[in-house]
């Protein structure tokens, strides 16, 4: 097994472990407009918890928040978010408790929310979880925010890669050699070698580990 294969295997193990922890995590990631506070995005897990599709939530606007949040918490949380946005500091993190009511429940449950400001997109990026999972929450926050920041930072690079280059990246990160990739893509080994050189140069990757990190974040591995 080569160095690339070992790095790929380690990255896969870390990815599988992260996925397992995320599956056990009862919290959810969401994005809110920093001016209206309306929910713009809620991951599928959250949509299922509230028994609505993302489109239904977006169309409901402020009514959705009024429906799921305790009436005493809604104005308090909105004020916290608006004050946080006014600070205009992306390095800071806002944390607060709120009472939410999910589908099929009559009682409100206490949740803990962690928020980061994204001025470029004009949104709040947040993760909310039950207070019973605060310890797991800490690791989840770091994992999701780090991944989100990486993707945002490298999105233009991802778009710059051609379809063929993305295919080569995927096969390289799966451990295939130049000759094998050439056979799979019906190209010459010389062409694949040229593609690899261009990929490393365009991505400014200094090692195979950096290439694998890029591929994992953009689902190319």
């Amino acid at each position: 097994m080569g160095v690339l294969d070992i790095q790929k295997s380690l990255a896969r193990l870390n990815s599988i472990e992260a996925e397992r922890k995320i599956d056990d995590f009862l919290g959810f990631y969401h994005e809110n407009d920093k001016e209206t506070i309306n929910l713009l995005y809620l991951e599928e897990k959250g949509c299922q918890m509230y028994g609505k599709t993302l489109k239904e939530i977006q169309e409901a606007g402020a009514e959705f928040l009024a429906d799921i949040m305790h009436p005493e918490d809604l104005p308090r949380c909105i004020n916290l978010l608006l004050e946080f946005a006014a600070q205009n500091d992306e390095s800071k993190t806002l944390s607060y408790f709120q009472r939410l009511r999910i589908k099929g429940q009559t009682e409100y449950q206490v949740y803990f929310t962690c928020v980061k400001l994204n001025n470029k997109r004009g949104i709040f990026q947040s993760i909310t979880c039950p207070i019973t999972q605060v310890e797991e929450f800490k690791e989840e926050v770091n994992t999701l925010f780090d991944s989100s920041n990486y993707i945002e930072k490298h999105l233009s690079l991802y778009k710059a890669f051609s379809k063929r280059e993305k295919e080569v990246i995927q096969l390289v990160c799966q451990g295939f050699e130049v000759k094998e990739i050439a056979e799979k893509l019906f190209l010459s080994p010389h062409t694949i070698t040229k593609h690899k050189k261009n990929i490393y140069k365009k991505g400014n990757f200094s090692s195979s580990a950096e290439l694998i990190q890029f591929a994992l974040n953009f689902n190319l591995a």
Side-chain angles (χ1 to χ4, degrees):
M1 180 180 286
V3 174
L4 181 60
D5 294 322
I6 294 173
Q7 290 174 328
K8 180 65 169 56
S9 297
L10 289 174
R12 271 296 179 203
L13 287 173
N14 289 334
S15 178
I16 292 171
E17 177 64 12
E19 288 175 2
R20 183 191 66 76
K21 290 179 179 179
I22 289 174
D23 287 339
D24 294 337
F25 183 66
L26 299 178
F28 49 87
Y29 173 79
H30 52 102
E31 298 176 350
N32 298 67
D33 186 284
K34 77 171 190 177
E35 295 182 357
T36 66
I37 316 299
N38 288 347
L39 200 61
L40 302 177
Y41 172 78
L42 177 63
E43 69 168 306
E44 182 60 28
K45 186 192 302 183
C47 291
Q48 293 175 357
M49 288 175 63
Y50 293 110
K52 294 181 181 293
T53 65
L54 178 59
K55 184 178 180 181
E56 290 173 335
I57 292 172
Q58 292 171 333
E59 291 177 346
E63 292 183 5
F64 175 74
L65 293 179
D67 183 54
I68 67 170
M69 293 182 67
H70 192 284
E72 293 179 359
D73 292 347
L74 183 57
R76 174 180 60 82
C77 293
I78 289 177
N79 287 335
L80 284 172
L81 288 168
L82 293 177
E83 290 174 1
F84 183 59
Q87 296 178 32
N88 201 34
D89 189 345
E90 293 187 341
S91 67
K92 292 185 177 181
T93 301
L94 171 68
S95 300
Y96 58 87
F97 291 96
Q98 59 179 319
R99 288 166 288 181
L100 302 174
R101 183 172 54 192
I102 66 175
K103 180 184 177 183
Q105 293 186 350
T106 57
E107 298 294 327
Y108 290 94
Q109 303 296 322
V110 179
Y111 282 74
F112 182 72
T113 297
C114 183
V115 185
K116 295 286 285 186
L117 181 63
N118 187 319
N119 282 319
K120 185 177 180 180
R121 296 176 57 198
I123 63 169
F124 295 114
Q125 294 178 292
S126 311
I127 301 176
T128 295
C129 81
I131 58 171
T132 54
Q133 283 197 312
V134 170
E135 288 304 316
E136 292 90 337
F137 174 84
K138 293 177 182 177
E139 185 171 348
E140 181 75 357
V141 167
N142 292 330
T143 299
L144 289 181
F145 281 156
D146 286 348
S147 179
S148 176
N149 290 335
Y150 183 94
I151 290 173
E152 185 172 348
K153 182 179 179 181
H154 295 84
L155 183 59
S156 59
L157 173 61
Y158 173 79
K159 292 180 178 178
F161 282 124
S162 67
K163 180 180 178 182
R164 179 65 76 193
E165 287 173 329
K166 290 173 184 175
E167 290 174 339
V168 173
I169 290 173
Q170 187 172 31
L171 291 170
V172 167
C173 291
Q174 288 175 357
F176 291 103
E177 300 296 333
V178 169
K179 185 178 179 180
E180 295 173 312
I181 296 174
E183 292 175 351
K184 287 180 176 293
L185 299 182
F186 303 102
L187 298 171
S188 70
H190 174 73
T191 299
I192 298 302
T193 299
K194 186 176 180 180
H195 274 309
K196 285 185 65 177
K197 288 181 179 179
N198 289 338
I199 287 168
Y200 271 83
K201 183 177 180 180
K202 184 185 291 186
N204 196 29
F205 301 126
S206 60
S207 67
S208 56
E210 289 185 1
L211 177 62
I212 291 172
Q213 181 186 20
F214 176 85
L216 288 173
N217 273 280
F218 286 96
N219 294 321
L220 293 175

